Amino acid sequence: MDPGRAALLHRIAERYSTPTYVYDLDAIGDRVARLRAALPTAELLYAVKANPCGAVLRHLAAAGLGAEVISVGELARARRAGFPEGRILLGGPRQDPPLVAAAWGVGWVSLDNPSQWRGWQRFAAREGAPRFLLRLNPGLDPRTHEHLATGAARSKFGMPFGELAALGAALGEHLAGFHVHIGSQITELGAYEPVFAQLGALLTRFPHADTLDLGGGFAVPGFALPEFSARVRAFLAQVPFRRLLLEPGRFLVAESGVLLTRVLHVKEGPVRHVIADAGMADLLRPALYGAQHPVRVLGAADGASGSADLDGPLCENADRLARGVALPALTPGTLLAVEQAGAYGFAMASNYASSLRPAEVVVAGGEVRLARRRETPDDLVQLEL
Ligand SMILES: *Cc1c(COP(=O)(O)O)cnc(C)c1O
């Protein structure tokens, strides 16, 4: 990390205490620019669940993106942040009557199953109705692609080809196109080929459907954007002109964010435990699916690195930010930056063990702004009657 950035993070930790999430809006803008350069015709719909911080959403709305939402709460946040209604896509398994009623007016709806269509049907003929996409379950092999579980036949998402084609016929003129989100952290881009084959067959069968939504799931780090772009372009060249949608979440925000945390205690033993003031309540991904986040020491650290667990402050074995990582000798108070924490970080933070969720700070053009203050004990009981 360059010294200027380390000094900035020190100032933020001094001013706002720890644990605190810091998002670099310029880095998010850079990822938007990279995606746009790679696939200029694609419309980008930011997957709000990756990081719903209002300052991040407003930045992306101002950059001209749309939003992908799956709940009443995400819809409300997207509208509040200024995403134009016509650039909001509602998807996901819920789509119950309250969500359908709230989402009236959005630009697109991705239907996950025929039951959802029964809920939307009475609105479909009205003026200003959303454009309907059908979500394909491509039946990928989750064992060969462990991150492709959402595209596996046994997953709850989408419809297999035959069922989707039947529903497409039932939608008739209301069918605008097809949607597929094959999973998260996709690195093996060959996984898209069987998906393209199925989408190609659907486009042949429904020539009036003009929209293709290829979802998100682009891995961080390590997504081969030029290769992805080449594969998508090659596929689009084989089908008549289509409107292309993408739903990037993690790719846009993950690397923009760090979680600042301070060392509380160090316990030597069979395993060296570095106990920090952030843990699974603040950043759940390591406990939830063994995610690995680089940890950087921002303070003075002496001596050679040795293996340590970076643990949180809660009474829970899974309360850990990193396992068996190389860390130098550390003393209480040392500032650490847990990196690549901008996606599914604060978004998954909880009040477990009455933890107070961290502050969120945004940096843009070197200017630091508090986006969300740290919670207080009063916040914990504020909704109780
Ligand atoms: C979660 C999700 C995304 C975003 O996934 P990332 O891995 O963050 O890019 C996009 N589309 C759908 C349907 C999703 O469920």
Side-chain angles (χ1 to χ4, degrees):
M1 187 176 295
D2 74 80
R5 180 158 167 75
L8 179 73
L9 293 176
H10 269 287
R11 287 202 300 280
I12 291 171
E14 287 294 320
R15 173 136 186 223
Y16 299 107
S17 186
T18 56
T20 289
Y21 277 95
V22 183
Y23 312 124
D24 180 346
L25 297 184
D26 300 325
I28 295 175
D30 167 75
R31 297 310 185 277
V32 170
R34 280 195 218 173
L35 261 188
R36 284 185 169 151
L39 286 163
T41 61
E43 284 178 60
L44 305 181
L45 310 179
Y46 172 61
V48 170
K49 75 177 187 286
N51 184 331
C53 176
V56 170
L57 295 183
R58 286 192 297 276
H59 187 67
L60 290 168
L65 278 80
E68 186 262 350
V69 304
I70 61 165
S71 66
V72 166
E74 287 189 347
L75 186 58
R77 283 189 196 260
R79 284 176 171 151
R80 215 183 145 94
F83 288 99
E85 198 77 352
R87 281 203 213 119
I88 297 176
L89 179 145
L90 173 76
R94 179 176 277 269
Q95 298 185 42
D96 56 344
L99 181 52
V100 165
W104 172 252
V106 299
W108 296 282
V109 166
S110 167
L111 296 170
D112 187 75
N113 57 59
S115 167
Q116 288 181 346
W117 172 237
R118 286 192 284 280
W120 278 104
Q121 212 164 359
R122 65 202 167 92
F123 296 109
R126 294 197 201 160
E127 179 127 9
R131 309 184 77 235
F132 292 96
L133 310 179
L134 298 182
R135 179 155 173 183
L136 175 70
N137 180 324
L140 301 174
D141 182 350
R143 282 169 307 171
T144 48
H145 304 281
E146 62 169 307
H147 296 299
L148 304 188
T150 61
R154 296 185 56 150
S155 90
K156 70 177 173 189
F157 300 103
M159 293 162 272
F161 188 93
E163 186 184 0
L164 184 145
L167 184 57
L171 259 71
E173 56 171 350
H174 298 302
L175 174 68
F178 305 100
H179 175 208
V180 65
H181 171 71
I182 64 176
S184 68
Q185 290 286 45
I186 308 297
T187 49
E188 288 176 53
L189 299 182
Y192 281 97
E193 296 308 326
V195 177
F196 289 153
Q198 292 184 54
L199 290 175
L202 286 168
L203 292 171
T204 306
R205 195 175 301 196
F206 298 97
H208 69 286
D210 70 352
T211 303
L212 275 183
D213 179 348
L214 295 179
F218 316 144
V220 174
F223 186 66
L225 185 55
E227 184 192 339
F228 175 72
S229 154
R231 284 181 189 267
V232 171
R233 287 164 191 252
F235 169 60
L236 292 180
Q238 294 164 22
V239 292
F241 175 75
R242 305 292 169 181
R243 190 167 179 184
L244 177 65
L245 309 178
L246 296 175
E247 303 169 340
R250 185 190 319 272
F251 181 84
L252 297 183
V253 293
E255 288 170 311
S256 80
V258 301
L259 173 60
L260 294 177
T261 179
R262 282 196 199 274
V263 175
L264 299 177
H265 309 285
V266 179
K267 292 172 76 173
E268 302 292 345
V271 171
R272 181 162 57 120
H273 291 283
V274 175
I275 298 175
D277 63 5
M280 67 186 289
D282 313 284
L283 179 62
L284 182 61
R285 299 185 69 251
L288 185 63
Y289 24 63
Q292 296 180 5
H293 289 264
V295 177
R296 209 171 283 271
V297 180
L298 294 176
D302 299 323
S305 286
S307 175
D309 284 2
L310 181 60
D311 296 310
L314 306 184
C315 296
E316 191 75 60
N317 254 332
D319 185 30
R320 190 184 295 118
L321 293 175
R323 182 172 226 170
V325 287
L327 287 174
L330 294 170
T331 51
T334 304
L335 185 63
L336 305 174
V338 181
E339 301 194 301
Q340 295 168 15
Y344 307 102
F346 188 95
M348 287 186 173
S350 77
N351 292 121
Y352 177 54
S354 295
S355 302
L356 303 172
R357 284 185 292 175
E360 290 177 292
V361 164
V362 293
V363 181
E367 198 179 307
V368 174
R369 219 157 21 91
L370 181 64
R372 189 184 200 273
R373 67 162 170 80
R374 178 180 317 288
E375 291 180 351
T376 66
D378 283 345
D379 292 325
L380 294 177
V381 294
Q382 155 176 275
L383 302 180
E384 290 184 6
L385 303 175

